[in-house]
Amino acid sequence: MNNEIKVSGQLQLFTKAKDQVISFNPNQKRSKIRKRYMMPRIVAFIPAHNEEKSIRDCLAGLADQSLPKYIQLDIFVIADNCSDRTEEKAFEAAKDFGLNVIILRTKNNKQRKVGALNTAWKYIYGDPLAIYFREKSEYQEMYQQSIKAILGMDADSRLAPGALQALWNDLMSQRNIGGVMAKYTMRMPKKKKLLAKDDVNYEDKIASGEYGGPMARWWTH
């Protein structure tokens, strides 16, 4: 598999504190780093192949979550062989919702979703099959150790309010639990008339299925 991680310039991280973009790269070597506390975090992996119509709704669901106490959420959107505006829509949503979103891009990935997930995994933890030893930076080691859970979800799905906290509680309820799974349901579209026609994201919300007419609501039911 020939995967490459590419971005325009540097990786982009949107912070809640400021409406700005800063460089972020856990693989970057840094000669000096203070021995400081790094918040424990949940990392979300979202493979996205041509998901420009649904990625905003997916990220909106993550923005609605109540995070566990003292836990940070980092979101990796893996733009997998995309030919649409998935990356652009993800960046826009990250800014609008104040999320920590990192975009990874695959190239010539022939393993579909599995290959996309492997791209994110290797970006953080490295390639276990690599024949050359790469020394980890102190920042990379700290980042790896800070990850307490990995959330895998599809780009065309949305977490219900409180889902992330419930998953975390179950995962941490016993020391021998290695993974938990959410229950999936079909979400009833909201009435189309409730959506303002001048909403800048009108087309995206209709296309994502968040709103629908009588036929769409009947079909979902």
Side-chain angles (χ1 to χ4, degrees):
M1 178 177 61
N2 181 20
N3 276 357
E4 293 183 6
I5 300 167
K6 289 189 175 182
V7 290
S8 299
Q10 292 180 307
L11 288 178
Q12 308 296 297
L13 170 66
F14 293 96
T15 65
K16 294 181 180 180
K18 296 180 180 179
D19 185 17
Q20 64 179 1
V21 180
I22 61 174
S23 62
F24 176 84
N25 190 343
N27 293 326
Q28 179 180 350
K29 288 188 176 182
R30 302 187 181 187
S31 57
K32 294 182 179 180
I33 184 170
R34 294 178 181 177
K35 295 292 186 180
R36 62 178 182 271
Y37 172 80
M38 182 177 285
M39 286 185 64
R41 70 196 64 233
I42 297 172
V43 171
F45 289 169
I46 307 177
H49 172 66
N50 291 342
E51 297 285 2
E52 65 175 10
K53 295 180 179 179
S54 61
I55 190 63
R56 182 181 181 86
D57 189 50
C58 176
L59 294 176
L62 287 169
D64 287 343
Q65 300 301 307
S66 298
L67 290 177
K69 196 173 183 179
Y70 307 123
I71 297 294
Q72 180 173 315
L73 175 65
D74 287 348
I75 303 167
F76 286 78
V77 175
I78 307 103
D80 183 28
N81 298 331
C82 291
S83 58
D84 65 356
R85 298 188 298 161
T86 296
E87 292 182 55
E88 178 185 340
K89 292 294 184 179
F91 276 128
E92 290 177 357
K95 289 188 66 176
D96 292 345
F97 301 137
L99 293 170
N100 297 337
V101 173
I102 301 95
I103 305 292
L104 304 182
R105 185 188 305 163
T106 67
K107 183 179 180 181
N108 298 327
N109 174 31
K110 297 180 180 179
Q111 294 183 328
R112 302 169 69 92
K113 184 177 180 180
V114 171
L117 289 171
N118 283 338
T119 296
W121 185 269
K122 291 176 183 177
Y123 178 73
I124 296 176
Y125 293 104
D127 187 349
L129 297 181
I131 60 175
Y132 298 105
F133 175 75
R134 291 181 59 188
E135 184 177 355
K136 298 177 184 176
S137 67
E138 291 183 81
Y139 183 88
Q140 187 178 14
E141 290 182 350
M142 288 177 66
Y143 190 85
Q144 291 176 356
Q145 293 171 9
S146 73
I147 298 174
K148 304 306 177 185
I150 295 177
L151 169 69
M153 61 182 298
D154 293 336
D156 59 355
S157 61
R158 176 169 177 151
L159 288 183
L164 189 59
Q165 181 70 64
L167 289 168
W168 174 265
N169 291 343
D170 282 352
L171 186 65
M172 296 298 164
S173 63
Q174 298 182 42
R175 297 182 65 87
N176 63 340
I177 294 179
V180 294
M181 178 175 285
K183 294 180 180 179
Y184 287 82
T185 59
M186 295 296 293
R187 182 178 47 165
M188 179 65 71
K190 302 173 186 176
K191 292 183 178 180
K192 191 175 180 180
K193 64 181 181 180
L194 297 177
L195 180 60
K197 292 292 183 66
D198 59 352
D199 190 317
V200 294
N201 297 304
Y202 181 87
E203 296 297 333
D204 289 340
K205 289 181 178 180
I206 294 296
S208 70
E210 184 177 358
Y211 293 83
M215 183 58 69
R217 288 169 56 82
W218 176 82
W219 183 255
T220 304
H221 178 76

